[in-house]
Amino acid sequence: MAKKDKYEQVAEQIGDLGAEETAQEHGLGKLKNEKAYNPMALSPEEEASKNAFLERERRMKARLSQQAEPVDEMPEPRTIGVSEDTSISEGWVPIVREQMGIRSEFYPEDWEFYIRPATVQAIKNWIGIDEKNALQMNNTFDEIIKMCVRIKDGQQVISWSHLNTWDRFWFILKVRELTFASNKQTITFEDNCQECDEEITFELRSSSLHYEFPDEDVVKKHWNAADMEWNIDPAEYGVEDEEPITLWVPTLAKQQAIIDWAQRQYQRKKKLDETFVSTFLPWMINKASRDEAQFDRQVQKIEKIYKAWSVPMYELMTDIIRNITINPKETLKAVCPHCGEEVISNVQFPNGVKVLFATETRVQKFGSR
Ligand SMILES: [Zn+2]
């Protein structure tokens, strides 16, 4: 597929964030209307995989309720807990939000998340990925989310693109775990323990993803869960004569709008302020307009505000963004079997991200680090 076609496709998706189209496509929008709903046909393998996944989830849930421990501190967190729901029979598996830990707080309370196994088509797209093309990689990641993740607010389907950017990889791993649940394929790689320097094996799975959370008191003080925004008064931090700050969590929709916008700027031979675009802009957009010209103006307005910041304000903003960001990149955690410390390693794909959905062999190894 030519790059431009690919790109245009993405632009179309972004232009269609309303999700009506995807709701029809995947049927979750009609959960309660079971008669009208045409269930996704599962092959016997997919059915077996789904059942194995659900069985594990049920056991996990039972264990969890016995232990009554915080979900993100489970000793052997295989996968997730699953709530009883009719949609299971329709191919969509509900995700228990609590396992997202603090990340769950950055979604409206009523949102429910569902996943389904990657379809053959999704896996083909994945395997066809050109890993040298960052834009295409980004699109392929989004495609898996689009096809295999549903968000619902009551009866309303929320576009997949409203996932927070830092949750994308977690959901991809969830989908992978569901897809291969009956035929467990692990992806492991070696790294040296930062504490004792012994070699440890990291396993790539959703529950071993490592997240850095904002400080609890920072969230308590400045996160406005009712309006889903960060509110900070610069004066509180000794920065005078600046307007109160409102920031919004970066989502896949906003990320894509920014990528598209950056492409347009590039075509117009306009220079980009990289710090502004990558660090501040994703947080300063409330809702990305679907209209290109309007989005251009949105960015222009925000850049004006950014450029008007005093040095202390810039310093404060840098500090804030650093502290409220959950993971700028994917990292894994493991407990070192040699020294017992919890250690962190970067997720790297020297053999490519293709291994995530590769199906030929049981155990895939990636990376020498
Ligand atoms: Zn160690």
Side-chain angles (χ1 to χ4, degrees):
M1 184 182 290
K3 259 183 226 166
K4 201 175 171 212
D5 291 348
K6 185 85 189 162
Y7 186 73
E8 279 166 358
Q9 259 186 4
V10 172
E12 268 171 34
Q13 290 169 15
I14 296 305
D16 214 339
L17 295 180
E20 270 111 327
E21 176 213 50
T22 48
Q24 277 170 9
E25 208 177 303
H26 299 296
L28 195 68
K30 296 170 188 161
L31 266 185
K32 282 280 150 73
N33 191 0
E34 281 179 41
K35 287 201 178 88
Y37 177 74
N38 182 18
M40 187 180 76
L42 289 181
S43 71
E45 292 82 29
E46 286 168 339
E47 192 65 44
S49 191
K50 187 189 78 186
N51 291 337
F53 184 83
L54 289 173
E55 183 48 39
R56 246 181 19 223
E57 302 294 279
R58 281 197 194 96
R59 282 203 303 270
M60 165 60 58
K61 202 181 177 189
R63 247 208 328 270
L64 256 182
S65 54
Q66 276 174 1
Q67 289 167 346
E69 272 189 57
V71 179
D72 55 343
E73 283 173 20
M74 290 182 310
E76 180 69 44
R78 266 279 145 231
T79 40
I80 55 174
V82 160
S83 59
E84 308 304 324
D85 196 292
T86 54
S87 60
I88 289 174
S89 60
E90 293 164 347
W92 290 98
V93 176
I95 295 268
V96 170
R97 271 177 68 147
E98 287 69 36
Q99 65 187 313
M100 285 197 239
I102 295 172
R103 289 177 295 131
S104 176
E105 289 180 33
F106 298 101
Y107 293 104
E109 222 180 305
D110 294 337
W111 285 16
E112 289 163 349
F113 299 86
Y114 298 80
I115 57 171
R116 71 170 185 183
T119 58
V120 172
Q121 188 53 51
I123 291 175
K124 279 186 194 158
N125 287 351
W126 188 276
I127 289 169
I129 199 170
D130 171 7
E131 304 196 24
K132 290 193 189 84
N133 184 337
L135 198 63
Q136 204 205 345
M137 287 268 283
N138 181 61
N139 294 342
T140 307
F141 275 50
D142 276 0
E143 258 167 45
I144 284 275
I145 297 292
K146 183 184 176 187
M147 288 191 255
C148 304
V149 178
R150 291 291 89 193
I151 312 172
K152 289 208 70 189
D153 184 349
Q155 284 309 292
Q156 200 193 351
V157 174
I158 306 292
S159 170
W160 57 275
S161 64
H162 294 300
L163 270 195
N164 296 332
T165 50
W166 51 60
D167 285 324
R168 182 170 68 174
F169 198 56
W170 186 83
F171 273 99
I172 288 173
L173 291 182
K174 277 278 166 226
V175 170
R176 179 181 186 279
E177 284 153 16
L178 176 58
T179 306
F180 299 125
S182 65
N183 170 27
K184 195 170 172 291
Q185 301 191 25
T186 52
I187 299 178
T188 58
F189 73 107
E190 312 298 326
D191 199 353
N192 291 342
C193 174
Q194 298 132 339
E195 299 293 324
C196 69
D197 208 41
E198 293 283 339
E199 198 168 83
I200 344 175
T201 303
F202 287 84
E203 190 181 333
L204 182 60
R205 57 179 196 214
S206 59
S207 57
S208 54
L209 282 185
H210 162 74
Y211 289 98
E212 278 166 30
F213 294 121
D215 300 340
E216 227 174 279
D217 53 330
V218 164
V219 177
K220 216 173 191 177
K221 193 168 171 193
H222 295 297
W223 174 246
N224 177 345
D227 298 330
M228 287 282 122
E229 58 188 38
W230 286 93
N231 299 131
I232 301 135
D233 182 1
E236 254 188 83
Y237 294 89
V239 179
E240 305 296 336
D241 304 322
E242 296 279 357
E243 297 286 322
I245 301 159
T246 310
L247 299 169
W248 298 272
V249 174
T251 61
L252 296 180
K254 286 190 262 181
Q255 176 171 278
Q256 191 60 57
I258 292 172
I259 291 172
D260 292 347
W261 168 85
Q263 294 270 319
R264 291 198 292 279
Q265 299 308 100
Y266 180 75
Q267 279 156 11
R268 292 170 190 148
K269 305 209 183 331
K270 288 198 178 149
K271 244 183 103 184
L272 294 183
D273 179 335
E274 259 186 58
T275 309
F276 168 65
V277 175
S278 62
T279 308
F280 297 104
L281 184 56
W283 286 94
M284 295 173 76
I285 299 167
N286 180 2
K287 284 195 176 78
S289 171
R290 298 179 212 177
D291 180 85
E292 281 186 10
Q294 229 164 7
F295 187 75
D296 288 357
R297 282 196 293 277
Q298 245 181 315
V299 176
Q300 243 171 30
K301 234 167 122 181
I302 294 169
E303 194 165 18
K304 227 181 198 168
I305 296 171
Y306 163 78
K307 281 187 171 153
W309 287 343
S310 63
V311 172
M313 180 65 174
Y314 185 84
E315 229 175 279
L316 174 65
M317 285 298 294
T318 307
D319 212 27
I320 290 170
I321 303 287
R322 192 177 50 243
N323 276 279
I324 65 177
T325 298
I326 299 179
N327 280 43
K329 59 177 180 180
E330 280 81 31
T331 46
L332 282 182
K333 64 184 177 202
V335 173
C336 174
H338 308 286
C339 69
E341 292 291 321
E342 186 179 274
V343 284
I344 311 300
S345 180
N346 290 332
V347 176
Q348 294 197 338
F349 298 96
N351 301 331
V353 296
K354 285 184 179 73
V355 300
L356 272 184
F357 287 94
T359 51
E360 283 89 351
T361 52
R362 280 183 76 77
V363 178
Q364 300 274 345
K365 223 169 169 15
F366 80 94
S368 54
R369 282 194 57 228

